[in-house]
Amino acid sequence: VITGLNIATILIVFIAGVGQIDAANYNPFTPFGVRGIFAGASIVFFSFIGFDTVSTAAEETKNPSFDLPVGIVGSLGICTILYVLMCLVITGMVPFSKIDTNAPFSAAFDAAGMSWVSRIVSLGAVAGITTSIMVSLLGQTRIYLVLAREGLLPPVFAQVHETRGTPVFATAVTAVTAGLLSFLFDIEILAELVSIGTLFVFACVCAAVLWRRYRVEERPALPLGWRLAAVVLLSVVIGEISRFDEPFWILAPLLLVLAGISYSLSLLPLAEHGPQKFKVPFVPYIPVMGIFSAIYLIGSLGILAYVRFVVWSGLSIVLYLLYGVHYSNIDAESEMVPIVDKRGMALSSRPLDDDLQNLD
C-alpha cells in the first residue's frame, strides 16, 4: 500500500510539473561539467542501496535463481527511470541555482501557485521515508542473521521469533543504532559514509565475479591477480587525474590500457564454475566497468569521506579480530546452514538452496 502511494505521488508530481517546465532552465544543461555530474552521483548513490536488499532476502524466495535477478534488475530499472523523470521536472521548473535543497519540490510547486501538489509531495515524502526505513531494517537484520550463523557475531543475533520467523534481536539492534546515528550525525556525513561503503562493496562484488569466472584451481592465480590489481590501479589513477580537469588526450591512453586488460581477461581459461540459470553477461567487460565506475565515484568524494571510511572499516576489523576470528564456524568444504532456535542455539543444519549456486 505504501509503495503504491509512493508511485502515485511520483506520477502526480511528474504530470503536474511537466506543464510548469521552462526549457530555458535546462541551459546550461551541465553547469558544473562532467566533474559535477560524478561528484553528485557519488553522493546520491545511496539512493540505490535498497536494491541489494533483494539479495539479502534470498532465503525467503521460492525460486532464488529466477526471483533475485528479476527483482534486482526490474526494481533498479523502474526506479532509475522515475529518478530521471523527477530530476527533469525539478530542474525544468526552477533554475538550478534557485532550487531549495531542503524541500525542492514543495518549494517549486508553492512558487508556481500549486500548493495542493506540495501537500501531496509532503505526504509522499513521509511514505517514502517509511518504506526506506522498513527496507533498510529488512536488509540489515538479514545480514546480522547470516553473520551470527557463521559465528562472526554473537548467537543472539541469530534469534528467530517462533511464530513470526523474523530475527528479533537483530531487528531491535538495527533500529536502535540507525536511530542513534541519524540523531547524532549530519545527513551529509551519513550520506557520504553510506555511499563510499556501498561503492566499495559493489567494486568488490564485481571483482568477485571475475575471480569466480576465471580462477582455475589447477593454475597459478598470478595471471588473474595482476590483471585485477591493474584494473583497480588504473581506475584510481584515472579518477584522480579527472579531478583536475585534464584534457581528454591525457586520459585516452589509460582508458585504452584498461580496455586492453579487459580483453586480456577474456583470453584466460574459464573456471569449472558455470551458473546454469543466471550469470552476468558480457564478462569480463561489465564487471570491469563496474569496478571502474565504483572507484571513479569514490574518487569524487572528499578526503573526510575516506577518513571516516577507514575508521569505520578499522573498527569492523578490530571486531573481527577480537571475536569473529575466534568463533567463526565457516567450513569451506561444507554447504550446511544451521537452523537456530529463539535463543540462537543451533538445532540442526540444512543445505543451502541449490538454486543459489546457479547465480553469478
Side-chain angles (χ1 to χ4, degrees):
V1 175
I2 298 179
T3 301
L5 179 61
N6 289 334
I7 296 176
T9 301
I10 292 173
L11 293 178
I12 291 173
V13 170
F14 175 73
I15 294 172
V18 166
Q20 305 296 321
I21 290 178
D22 182 0
N25 292 331
Y26 292 134
N27 187 23
F29 192 73
T30 55
F32 300 104
V34 176
R35 184 199 296 185
I37 293 175
F38 281 97
S42 63
I43 295 176
V44 302
F45 188 80
F46 71 92
S47 301
F48 288 89
I49 65 173
F51 303 102
D52 60 353
T53 303
V54 179
S55 62
T56 65
E59 292 187 13
E60 301 171 53
T61 58
K62 294 181 179 180
N63 185 10
S65 60
F66 176 81
D67 296 339
L68 293 184
V70 171
I72 294 174
V73 177
S75 58
L76 181 62
I78 294 172
C79 290
T80 300
I81 293 173
L82 294 177
Y83 287 158
V84 172
L85 292 178
M86 295 291 281
C87 290
L88 288 174
V89 168
I90 189 62
T91 54
M93 292 180 62
V94 184
F96 76 92
S97 59
K98 297 181 179 180
I99 293 178
D100 188 333
T101 56
N102 295 317
F105 285 97
S106 296
F109 281 110
D110 284 337
M114 304 174 68
S115 298
W116 63 274
V117 180
S118 65
R119 287 191 286 271
I120 294 177
V121 170
S122 299
L123 177 62
V126 173
I129 292 173
T130 302
T131 55
S132 297
I133 293 174
M134 293 173 63
V135 169
S136 298
L137 287 174
L138 173 67
Q140 187 59 51
T141 53
R142 270 54 181 181
I143 294 174
Y144 282 152
L145 174 65
V146 173
L147 291 176
R149 283 178 174 176
E150 296 177 346
L152 299 176
L153 286 177
V156 67
F157 283 90
Q159 287 183 359
V160 177
H161 195 276
E162 291 181 342
T163 56
R164 295 184 177 88
T166 56
V168 180
F169 184 81
T171 301
V173 170
T174 302
V176 172
T177 53
L180 288 175
L181 288 173
S182 62
F183 178 76
L184 297 174
F185 295 96
D186 189 76
I187 183 63
E188 283 78 12
I189 295 177
L190 293 177
E192 286 189 348
L193 187 58
V194 171
S195 294
I196 192 172
T198 306
L199 287 167
F200 178 77
V201 170
F202 282 4
C204 291
V205 170
C206 291
V209 170
L210 293 174
W211 185 266
R212 283 173 59 85
R213 193 68 64 89
Y214 293 108
R215 177 69 179 103
V216 179
E217 296 295 336
E218 295 77 15
R219 294 174 177 268
L222 183 61
L224 176 58
W226 76 258
R227 286 173 171 83
L228 288 177
V231 169
V232 173
L233 179 61
L234 279 172
S235 300
V236 172
V237 172
I238 293 173
E240 289 301 312
I241 292 177
S242 63
R243 292 176 58 189
F244 299 98
D245 290 333
E246 298 293 341
F248 179 76
W249 64 266
I250 294 180
L251 296 176
L254 296 176
L255 292 173
L256 288 175
V257 173
L258 184 63
I261 294 175
S262 301
Y263 176 73
S264 70
L265 280 168
S266 66
L267 301 179
L268 295 176
L270 293 174
E272 293 183 359
H273 166 72
Q276 300 300 316
K277 297 188 177 181
F278 178 83
K279 61 181 179 180
V280 178
F282 306 112
V283 173
Y285 304 107
I286 286 183
V288 168
M289 288 190 294
I291 295 173
F292 171 74
S293 59
I295 294 178
Y296 190 95
L297 289 176
I298 289 176
S300 301
L301 297 170
I303 185 64
L304 290 179
Y306 306 150
V307 174
R308 297 183 189 111
F309 176 70
V310 171
V311 172
W312 191 259
S313 300
L315 293 175
S316 301
I317 294 173
V318 170
L319 175 62
Y320 173 73
L321 293 177
L322 293 179
Y323 183 88
V325 72
H326 301 290
Y327 295 96
S328 174
N329 55 24
I330 299 176
D331 185 355
E333 297 178 357
S334 173
E335 295 293 342
M336 305 301 290
V337 175
I339 300 175
V340 298
D341 62 10
K342 64 179 181 179
R343 297 169 299 173
M345 303 302 293
L347 298 177
S348 61
S349 298
R350 63 173 177 79
L352 283 170
D353 191 331
D354 291 338
D355 283 344
L356 292 177
Q357 309 306 316
N358 292 322
L359 295 177
D360 184 11

